[in-house]
């Protein structure tokens, strides 16, 4: 089964470290204060591994994916 995977940021937990944007620049940018902006919530199949690594690396556990 090929489910659609989505990406989201818990804005309350996030402290703007910016690591997610470094690890997944194809989907995440940073605003002027260094907080993530998810450009596209849908994670393409070829980026799912990168998305899982970015989620695992988040120091505040603020980045989530359903994959």
């Amino acid at each position: 089964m090929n489910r659609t995977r989505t990406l989201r940021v818990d804005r309350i937990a996030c402290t703007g470290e910016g690591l997610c944007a470094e690890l997944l620049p194809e989907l995440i940018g940073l605003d002027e204060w260094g907080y993530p902006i998810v450009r596209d919530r849908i994670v393409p199949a070829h980026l799912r591994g990168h998305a899982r690594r970015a989620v695992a690396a988040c120091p505040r556990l603020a980045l989530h994916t359903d994959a």
Side-chain angles (χ1 to χ4, degrees), residues 29-63:
L30 298 177
D31 69 11
E32 59 267 24
W33 297 285
Y35 286 89
I37 298 170
V38 178
R39 293 186 191 114
D40 190 354
R41 290 178 40 96
I42 296 177
V43 180
H46 70 282
L47 292 177
R48 288 181 185 160
H50 294 289
R52 284 191 293 271
R53 282 189 286 282
V55 167
C58 180
R60 299 294 299 171
L61 304 175
L63 186 64

Side-chain angles (χ1 to χ4, degrees), residues 5-8 41 43 48 51-52 55 63-67:
R5 307 301 203 269
T6 59
L7 191 64
R8 64 183 172 83
R41 290 178 40 96
V43 180
R48 288 181 185 160
R52 284 191 293 271
V55 167
L63 186 64
H64 304 277
T65 185
D66 59 6

